[in-house]
Amino acid sequence: MIPLSTRMRPQTLEEFKGQEHFLYPGSLFYNSIKNRTFDSAIFFGPSGTGKTTLARIIAREMDGSFYELNASVTGTKELKELIERAKDSFYGLEKKTTYVYIDEFHRWNKLQQDSLLKALEEGVIKFIGSTTENPYFSVNNAIISRVRNIYEFKRLDKEVLAGIIKRAIEDKDRGIGALNIQWQNEAINILAEFSNGDARVALDMVGFIADNIEADKPVTKENVAEAMQRKIGFYDRGDDRYNLLSALQKSVRGSDPDAAVHYLARLMDGGADIQMIGRRLMVMASEDIGMAYPSAISIVTSCVQAALMVGMPEAVINLSHAVILLASAPKSNSAYMAYDAALTDIKNKKIDDVPAHLKDSHYNGAKTMGFGVEYKYPHAYGGYVKQQYLPDNLYREGVKYYKPTDNGSESSFKRYLESLDKK
């Protein structure tokens, strides 16, 4: 039987939901498809966010030949054969463009990826590559320079997922509407939240529940929790996870490890996701502890990674380790405040150019323009030499963004910087 997520794949741009940060009526991306000027692109982001679906829609809209490959099961031989067919189409009587979609493109090595280069340069094919990895790390620079258009797909919002779920429930042709199964709104909302931004997970779970729910019974939040093997403590007790996250951070900031652990326990008992808590803890390590204990971010990151590796129920031990460390550590928000102050100046002041002696001088002609000529290399002076780094107007104002505290390890950084000011 065809999975519900496959049956419910959007067929047109109008049906496609999500990724409104680059795809919306009137956007350059949208217009390039409607005007048939769309060129090669790389899509990257988590699974279930629409990368493959959008590639297929583009191919239909562009009215070109479309080939779909998966890099995990195909290699250079198949691609070369495809390119030869594309050449016949491109240079032949049809003058037709061939679109090649390669899923999991990051799985190909450098040589395999480079086999696309000549065909891309000649315009024989238009290429869409999708990857769950950051393409700036997983895709060759030569490919990126020729493709240029890189689009990040984000996890779908809860509201978008709820709409996709409702459409599948009501659709009598491709969805499960003909079964007339009643779904409680709370069940739909919980499924949307538990699907973690993945439409494929959400739709296939709808299909699974529809196939196995007792006749004439509505789908409840308990059915969703059972199907997904997740707790729904938040919904049973009326707790708001965002209030609990806020209370956790404020307890850490207030150096109260007992309260911090209490809110961590309520989050975990309520069914909170490890990643959601882990992301907040890593932010806190820099925002609230920062330079007072610089190692906190490394330790907390290790705790979060360990929690993700070991899974529940032992993951709570790793998270408790991180929470207690953060709550018990000295506090400083100086790193956050320094950045905020610098950004405020950038937005509100006319900032002078980068000083000439700091500009890049590693190319012909740079020195004739005075770039880098008067730069003093600190290591040649024992590690420090006094010179200007800020743009001229900020330097004249004596701007100071970083204001170290006397808390924890930051006091030693403060003393060091003060000693440099006296030189």
Side-chain angles (χ1 to χ4, degrees):
M1 185 175 177
I2 301 172
L4 183 61
S5 59
T6 300
R7 302 203 308 267
M8 291 301 299
R9 276 189 189 275
Q11 304 298 310
T12 65
L13 277 178
E14 288 67 34
E15 284 186 14
F16 188 88
K17 302 299 178 185
Q19 315 312 327
E20 287 85 0
H21 55 290
F22 67 80
L23 177 58
Y24 55 88
S27 70
L28 294 176
F29 185 95
Y30 182 93
N31 291 344
S32 72
I33 299 168
K34 289 299 184 180
N35 296 336
R36 296 189 176 182
T37 58
F38 180 85
D39 208 338
S40 299
I42 293 174
F43 297 162
F44 82 99
S47 299
T49 52
K51 299 187 295 295
T52 301
T53 297
L54 187 54
R56 291 175 179 176
I57 291 172
I58 290 169
R60 277 193 290 271
E61 292 276 353
M62 302 296 287
D63 193 29
S65 301
F66 181 67
Y67 294 90
E68 188 173 329
L69 305 176
N70 188 300
S72 63
V73 294
T74 57
T76 311
K77 181 175 179 290
E78 293 89 340
L79 179 63
K80 286 181 176 178
E81 291 172 355
L82 191 158
I83 290 172
E84 287 304 313
R85 291 196 296 272
K87 282 182 179 178
D88 293 340
S89 178
F90 186 71
Y91 293 115
L93 294 175
E94 291 181 280
K95 301 290 183 186
K96 200 170 186 180
T97 300
T98 299
Y99 286 84
V100 180
Y101 173 67
I102 304 179
D103 195 12
E104 299 187 78
F105 187 61
H106 62 277
R107 292 182 180 271
W108 274 0
N109 60 34
K110 185 179 186 302
L111 287 175
Q112 289 173 308
Q113 291 185 20
D114 283 350
S115 60
L116 276 170
L117 292 176
K118 191 163 187 263
L120 282 173
E121 287 174 350
E122 294 174 351
V124 169
I125 64 168
K126 302 293 184 185
F127 161 70
I128 304 175
S130 77
T131 171
T132 54
E133 307 287 335
N134 187 328
Y136 293 102
F137 296 107
S138 60
V139 177
N140 292 352
N141 288 334
I143 295 288
I144 288 177
S145 70
R146 286 162 178 79
V147 172
R148 294 188 309 280
N149 298 316
I150 298 177
Y151 298 96
E152 179 181 5
F153 283 61
K154 297 179 180 179
R155 294 187 185 279
L156 300 178
D157 293 340
K158 177 183 170 182
E159 292 74 20
V160 172
L161 273 179
I164 290 171
I165 292 168
K166 287 176 183 175
R167 181 167 163 265
I169 292 169
E170 295 166 0
D171 192 313
K172 293 186 177 181
D173 296 322
R174 292 187 286 160
I176 61 167
L179 300 177
N180 293 315
I181 298 170
Q182 297 301 310
W183 281 66
Q184 294 181 354
N185 283 333
E186 197 172 28
I188 293 172
N189 291 333
I190 290 173
L191 176 55
E193 189 162 326
F194 282 179
S195 297
N196 198 27
D198 189 322
R200 186 183 296 110
V201 168
L203 289 172
D204 286 341
M205 195 55 63
V206 169
F208 171 74
I209 293 172
D211 289 341
N212 296 287
I213 192 77
E214 291 183 35
D216 302 321
K217 285 197 173 182
V219 178
T220 65
K221 64 182 181 181
E222 287 77 19
N223 297 135
V224 173
E226 178 188 354
M228 302 195 78
Q229 292 295 290
R230 293 280 298 275
K231 287 185 177 182
I232 54 172
F234 293 120
Y235 302 93
D236 289 338
R237 292 194 298 269
D239 273 338
D240 185 308
R241 68 189 61 200
Y242 298 104
N243 284 340
L244 293 177
L245 279 170
S246 175
L248 170 62
Q249 181 160 8
K250 286 168 182 170
S251 299
V252 164
R253 189 180 292 151
S255 297
D256 189 333
D258 302 304
V261 168
H262 168 82
Y263 292 117
L264 171 67
R266 282 175 66 175
L267 280 161
M268 298 308 295
D269 188 58
D273 182 70
I274 293 173
Q275 282 191 329
M276 178 179 70
I277 296 174
R279 285 193 292 266
R280 181 65 69 97
L281 293 179
M282 287 190 280
V283 169
M284 289 154 56
S286 291
E287 180 183 350
D288 295 311
I289 284 76
M291 295 298 292
Y293 183 31
S295 299
I297 182 64
S298 299
I299 298 170
V300 169
T301 300
S302 295
C303 287
V304 172
Q305 289 174 340
L308 290 168
M309 287 180 68
V310 304
M312 293 294 288
E314 291 88 352
V316 297
I317 303 170
N318 306 118
L319 295 178
S320 182
H321 173 181
V323 165
I324 291 172
L325 179 136
L326 291 173
S328 305
K331 306 297 186 293
S332 172
N333 71 342
S334 60
Y336 167 67
M337 296 304 292
Y339 176 80
D340 189 60
L343 188 61
T344 298
D345 271 0
I346 290 167
K347 289 184 175 180
N348 297 301
K349 291 182 179 179
K350 184 180 183 303
I351 307 294
D352 289 344
D353 195 11
V354 173
H357 63 284
L358 298 184
K359 290 183 177 179
D360 182 20
S361 59
H362 295 90
Y363 59 93
N364 291 334
K367 284 188 168 40
T368 62
M369 292 185 285
F371 295 168
V373 173
E374 296 181 10
Y375 173 65
K376 297 175 183 176
Y377 186 56
H379 297 293
Y381 295 82
Y384 175 76
V385 60
K386 199 171 187 68
Q387 65 183 325
Q388 176 186 340
Y389 292 100
L390 281 168
D392 291 343
N393 59 329
L394 299 182
Y395 181 73
R396 286 193 298 269
E397 291 174 26
V399 165
K400 293 281 188 185
Y401 296 125
Y402 177 50
K403 298 175 181 177
T405 70
D406 290 312
N407 300 338
S409 299
E410 192 165 26
S411 61
S412 61
F413 294 107
K414 182 179 181 182
R415 288 193 300 272
Y416 172 69
L417 291 173
E418 286 175 345
S419 72
L420 297 182
D421 285 339
K422 295 173 183 176
K423 291 187 176 182

